[in-house]
Amino acid sequence: MTTLIDQLRKLPGFSLLHQKDGVLTRELLREPGIHGLGQVPATLAPNGTTQTVCGYCSTGCGLRVHLKDNVGINLTPTTEYPVNLGMACPKGWEALTVLDAPNRATTPLLKNASGEFVPVDWEVALREFTSRFQSIQKEHGPDSVAFLSTGQIPCEEMAFLGALTKFGMGIKHGDGNTRQCMATAVVAYKQAFGFDAPPYTYADFEESDCLTFVGSNPCIAHPIMWERVMRNRCSPEIIVIDPRSTETAMYATQHLAIAPKSDQTLFYGVARILIRNGWIDQKFVSDSTEGFDEFAAFVEDFTVSRVAGETGLKPEQIERFAETIHERKRCSFWWTMGVNQSYQGVRTAQSIINVALMTGSLGRPGTGANSITGQCNAMGSRLFSNTTNLLGGHDFGNAEHRKKVASILKIDAERIPNEGSWAYNEIMEGILKKKIRGLWVICTNTAHSWINQNLARDILDRLDFLVVQDMYHDTETAQMSDLVLPAAGWGEKEGTFVNSERRFGVIKKVRRAPGQALSDFSIFRLIAESYSCGEMFANWDSPQKVFQLLKECTRDMPCDITGIEDYEMIEANGGIQWPLKQGVTEFDQERRLFSDGKFYTSSGRAKFQFEPPKTLSEPVSEKYPFVLLTGRGSASQWHTQTRTSRSAVLKKLYPIDPFVELNPNDARKLGIRPNEWVIIESQRGRMRAMALLTRSVSAGQLFIPMHYEGTNQLTDAVFDPYSKQPSYKACAVRISKDSNSAAATRSH
């Protein structure tokens, strides 16, 4: 009997159908990976491995990089690392891929008189950098040049930049994009605890029997943290406070879909219920806090009926929330950008902290008022960027602090400014007022990410000289610049990151940066020499040496890490949380703050902070009847997509075209159909997006992911008065069908 395969063998082209050594065949081959890796693709078989920490979000996952001849060719999550326990999100899996992007900046680029970029060598680039900035400072004063940095580079590079600019170049004003994500939490902790001190460890995700997520969607924004929640065996209540039915809210036992920016009112109302019923930890309040009586009197006005009216919740939802906090033994409260990115973010964060304080939910397993950080090294930025805080969490305004840091760095204390920098928004305003004429942007994309994007681009366009230092030459900000300096990315340099739970982790150089690109550390060394202040940084010749200086800067501070010997000690211990003082030889891998009920204030007590909540900074109107919500759109996206859009895998995991979530009832009234192109407009700009009809958003609200370029053409440049953090999350908009919708709509 003749089989089909026998018939195929007789065909002239059968060899094409049965290729034994083609490309696709070789890709399917597997062989032992040795090094404990199991089976690996034959083409990616390593001859060594090394440990590093991921360079995307603040989770700080451990990654095992597979090496061939000391070059990273593949990676897997590290099973024994205490953060991720063998898990990684899509971004982590693709971390090496984006280093090979064709748009990498490989040589300095100088814009000529015709507005075109021309490749130049480093000597020309440094000469241009120095002469232009020094000329601006000579004509307009030293404060006429500023910098904007990032939470994406290692502590050692942040510190070098902050010291170089402020102590060497005479630049007073510099801030980082950490202002966009974490400034609110920083100020809230400082005012309440006396220091910027996230108190928790990731084990609390697993040990809490009641987890409350406020303006936080870890299922998407921090998926490995969410994996830790899924490991919880305490049958926890999961309470999500968010206007939108997020992916995290879908797992909640209680979803409190509050009106946008009414969180503060809700927590004041819950505090009133707890106080009235005697559901507080009186001993903790008496021994470890101050200002409680004033707070208790303040919240008397926040009756259940008032809170229900302002939040849109039912009275029984509010009461059940309070009862759950009382009934459960280990309550933890978690917040991210939904709280931080607000015109009243600091007081909202403190309304959460207040509830944790009054119930004694701090310092014990499964508890805490816990801010989840954004970027991979935003926590490091908070300690070492030398912008609004002096190195190591010190105060620019404190003469003793300036003297201490000057002694450690062996510089004249007079070179240290006696006050911190302007905040990001104040630097932008300074450009608008012509007080700042030159700007150096390092590893951030202001023209895309800053609020009210059209105004932001107009402001950047007014500069006399704009320098962008980045690993990609075609970011929106780089395209506006006069000079592009090519920088190495994660995986192409070394240093330390500090994650959300205060854990130092080491990053490794496993690739060589392409072309003439250099690590930011090396670029700063070259600029120091070019600016004639190289002698001041003669000992700053490696990240590891700078780490030793940073250790000394933390001595006797709450973040004291003088007990960490070196990078090898960090790696051997699976990362090390601060603090770890010199002389401490035995310590737990996961440690919480405030277990002794003592805080970093002058009295040793935590402070209740509060004030009346405010209405939406831009309320809806007849012309703009919708509230726009923004946030992370997918676990595969990262910020402005500068890196993630360079991965073919990650691009397939989210829609390339912008989309807007719209409630079906609103869509019906407006005649908008699913997948139809629409126009969203605010008083500041407009963008085009595809309509996604979903009940995830309530009637009268829209949601657009933050990652798309057009989103920040809509957002309103208002800021928290204490943290100066932008309020990205709620502004007034309108939506309408695109007149070209029929022609433009295509299947997805």
Side-chain angles (χ1 to χ4, degrees):
M1 179 178 178
T2 303
T3 63
L4 176 60
I5 193 68
D6 291 330
Q7 296 176 33
L8 289 172
R9 286 196 180 102
K10 297 177 182 178
L11 295 176
F14 177 73
S15 60
L16 297 178
L17 298 174
H18 191 65
Q19 192 77 22
K20 294 185 178 182
D21 59 353
V23 174
L24 294 179
T25 302
R26 288 196 298 273
E27 286 183 356
L28 294 174
L29 294 176
R30 295 288 185 272
E31 63 181 52
I34 317 175
H35 311 292
L37 297 177
Q39 294 286 318
V40 298
T43 55
L44 294 174
N47 51 27
T49 65
T50 191
Q51 169 71 31
T52 192
V53 173
C54 184
Y56 277 106
C57 82
S58 66
T59 307
C61 293
L63 300 176
R64 195 174 189 188
V65 180
H66 308 179
L67 304 173
K68 179 172 284 187
D69 301 327
N70 292 319
V71 175
I73 57 172
N74 204 356
L75 57 78
T76 47
T78 309
T79 55
E80 63 273 20
Y81 201 69
V83 168
N84 52 314
L85 306 172
M87 300 174 285
C89 79
K91 297 184 294 294
W93 281 103
E94 283 291 287
L96 286 174
T97 303
V98 300
L99 299 178
D100 298 323
N103 65 326
R104 287 295 303 272
T106 58
T107 186
L109 299 172
L110 182 62
K111 193 169 283 183
N112 63 21
S114 302
E116 299 174 338
F117 281 118
V118 177
V120 296
D121 60 27
W122 273 104
E123 184 178 354
V124 171
L126 292 166
R127 186 166 61 244
E128 188 74 11
F129 179 100
T130 302
S131 64
R132 292 291 297 275
F133 276 155
Q134 287 183 340
S135 176
I136 291 170
Q137 288 180 303
K138 183 177 180 180
E139 182 177 353
H140 302 287
D143 297 347
S144 60
V145 171
F147 70 89
L148 293 172
S149 183
T150 180
Q152 294 284 143
I153 61 177
C155 297
E156 297 78 1
E157 292 183 343
M158 289 175 177
F160 202 159
L161 172 64
L164 167 63
T165 51
K166 296 207 167 189
F167 310 154
M169 298 169 65
I171 294 175
K172 181 178 180 180
H173 299 304
D175 201 10
N177 58 21
T178 306
R179 179 75 56 184
Q180 295 165 271
C181 60
M182 297 316 303
T184 284
V186 171
V187 176
Y189 280 142
K190 279 185 176 181
Q191 292 182 352
F193 297 162
F195 195 79
D196 175 19
Y200 62 95
T201 185
Y202 293 159
D204 293 319
F205 285 121
E206 300 179 33
E207 298 180 18
S208 177
D209 61 5
C210 176
L211 300 103
T212 299
F213 294 98
V214 191
S216 177
N217 187 15
C219 189
I220 288 298
H222 298 88
I224 303 308
M225 295 189 194
W226 185 246
E227 290 277 2
R228 298 292 298 266
V229 175
M230 293 295 96
R231 295 165 64 96
N232 189 307
R233 297 184 178 181
C234 302
S235 300
E237 283 279 332
I238 298 178
I239 302 168
V240 172
I241 301 171
D242 200 300
R244 183 169 162 258
S245 182
T246 63
E247 291 80 358
T248 304
M250 294 175 187
Y251 286 90
T253 54
Q254 299 177 45
H255 175 209
L256 306 183
I258 59 171
K261 299 303 160 213
S262 63
D263 323 57
Q264 197 171 334
T265 296
L266 173 62
F267 277 92
Y268 289 158
V270 167
R272 180 181 181 272
I273 295 172
L274 294 170
I275 293 168
R276 284 209 152 199
N277 289 325
W279 295 342
I280 62 173
D281 187 333
Q282 189 62 59
K283 186 176 189 308
F284 186 88
V285 169
S286 298
D287 293 348
S288 299
T289 73
E290 58 186 46
F292 175 73
D293 290 341
E294 294 84 351
F295 176 66
F298 169 78
V299 298
E300 265 302 304
D301 290 339
F302 291 85
T303 63
V304 172
S305 60
R306 173 185 172 179
V307 174
E310 293 184 15
T311 63
L313 299 175
K314 297 176 181 178
E316 53 266 32
Q317 290 179 289
I318 301 165
E319 290 167 347
R320 183 187 172 197
F321 179 28
E323 289 168 1
T324 304
I325 293 171
H326 167 62
E327 291 167 356
R328 295 288 169 146
K329 304 301 182 185
R330 297 184 303 281
C331 291
S332 57
F333 303 89
W334 308 83
W335 79 86
T336 52
M337 301 312 134
V339 169
N340 288 347
Q341 292 176 336
S342 168
Y343 57 90
Q344 56 181 6
V346 169
R347 291 294 182 251
T348 300
Q350 289 166 341
S351 72
I352 301 168
I353 292 171
N354 291 341
V355 171
L357 289 174
M358 62 197 296
T359 55
S361 297
L362 279 166
R364 296 183 290 110
T367 66
N370 305 328
S371 165
I372 300 174
T373 314
Q375 300 178 84
C376 56
N377 200 28
M379 188 73 234
S381 173
R382 290 147 72 169
L383 295 175
F384 301 119
S385 67
N386 210 40
T387 52
T388 51
N389 297 317
L390 184 57
L391 294 172
H394 289 91
D395 182 358
F396 278 106
N398 185 312
E400 289 302 312
H401 284 189
R402 296 196 301 272
K403 183 179 178 181
K404 172 185 173 182
V405 171
S407 175
I408 293 167
L409 302 185
K410 295 181 171 54
I411 64 172
D412 186 344
E414 294 300 315
R415 300 197 72 117
I416 301 180
N418 59 11
E419 59 182 346
S421 165
W422 283 347
Y424 202 131
N425 67 305
E426 294 167 327
I427 291 173
M428 296 294 279
E429 291 166 10
I431 298 170
L432 199 57
K433 296 175 181 176
K434 297 187 178 298
K435 293 182 179 180
I436 291 176
R437 304 296 189 103
L439 185 66
W440 183 13
V441 176
I442 302 98
C443 190
T444 191
N445 192 7
T446 304
H448 181 140
S449 63
W450 191 244
I451 201 162
N452 191 354
Q453 184 185 106
N454 292 328
L455 177 60
R457 293 184 179 186
D458 175 62
I459 290 172
L460 293 176
D461 200 43
R462 296 169 185 246
L463 288 160
D464 294 348
F465 191 53
L466 173 61
V467 178
V468 171
Q469 184 170 314
D470 207 297
M471 62 186 289
Y472 299 106
H473 63 72
D474 61 351
T475 69
E476 290 86 351
T477 313
Q479 289 300 298
M480 296 186 68
S481 71
D482 300 290
L483 176 66
V484 175
L485 302 179
W490 171 92
E492 297 168 343
K493 54 187 176 181
E494 65 175 9
T496 57
F497 289 159
V498 188
N499 76 351
S500 275
E501 58 170 357
R502 313 179 317 281
R503 184 181 303 275
F504 279 81
V506 177
I507 65 167
K508 302 278 186 65
K509 181 177 179 178
V510 296
R511 292 275 189 93
R512 184 188 182 282
Q516 297 180 48
L518 299 172
S519 70
D520 294 283
F521 192 92
S522 296
I523 295 173
F524 299 149
R525 281 184 58 82
L526 290 174
I527 289 173
E529 292 296 332
S530 180
Y531 233 83
S532 301
C533 58
E535 186 63 29
M536 184 182 298
F537 303 100
N539 293 326
W540 295 52
D541 57 3
S542 73
Q544 298 213 38
K545 280 192 177 180
V546 172
F547 179 76
Q548 297 302 322
L549 292 174
L550 299 184
K551 280 171 50 179
E552 283 304 311
C553 287
T554 68
R555 185 177 292 276
D556 299 324
M557 295 295 287
C559 58
D560 191 326
I561 56 165
T562 51
I564 300 178
E565 293 176 11
D566 49 29
Y567 288 179
E568 287 72 23
M569 180 180 177
I570 295 174
E571 185 171 355
N573 284 277
I576 298 176
Q577 290 176 292
W578 68 256
L580 188 71
K581 295 184 179 182
Q582 188 173 23
V584 176
T585 56
E586 294 185 8
F587 55 91
D588 293 332
Q589 202 173 47
E590 297 183 291
R591 290 172 287 126
R592 298 168 187 85
L593 301 179
F594 314 129
S595 59
D596 59 357
K598 303 298 182 184
F599 294 85
Y600 302 121
T601 58
S602 57
S603 65
R605 298 167 176 268
K607 298 180 180 180
F608 283 87
Q609 301 278 357
F610 51 92
E611 68 182 42
K614 302 171 184 175
T615 57
L616 279 176
S617 56
E618 188 179 58
V620 297
S621 63
E622 185 177 348
K623 189 174 182 180
Y624 297 101
F626 288 87
V627 175
L628 174 64
L629 311 174
T630 66
R632 202 169 296 282
S634 165
S636 65
Q637 291 172 314
W638 182 249
H639 291 189
T640 64
Q641 302 183 60
T642 302
R643 282 182 290 170
T644 48
S645 65
R646 309 305 168 185
S647 161
V649 171
L650 297 180
K651 285 177 70 173
K652 292 176 182 177
L653 296 178
Y654 64 83
I656 295 176
D657 293 317
F659 66 90
V660 54
E661 293 185 2
L662 173 68
N663 186 278
N665 292 336
D666 288 329
R668 193 176 304 113
K669 293 175 184 176
L670 296 168
I672 295 173
R673 294 173 297 177
N675 299 331
E676 189 168 28
W677 287 99
V678 294
I679 301 295
I680 306 97
E681 298 174 277
S682 72
Q683 295 185 62
R684 294 155 295 279
R686 70 200 302 266
M687 73 174 288
R688 186 169 177 266
M690 185 170 285
L692 173 61
L693 275 53
T694 173
R695 298 193 183 279
S696 294
V697 290
S698 300
Q701 299 174 13
L702 306 176
F703 172 81
I704 303 176
M706 58 180 274
H707 317 285
Y708 297 115
E709 183 180 354
T711 306
N712 279 327
Q713 293 180 27
L714 306 172
T715 49
D716 188 15
V718 293
F719 306 88
D720 181 278
Y722 305 104
S723 68
K724 303 295 194 292
Q725 184 157 349
S727 183
Y728 284 100
K729 295 298 183 182
C731 65
V733 296
R734 64 188 177 206
I735 184 171
S736 60
K737 297 176 66 171
D738 183 0
S739 59
N740 299 317
S741 177
T745 301
R746 58 186 175 83
S747 71
H748 279 245

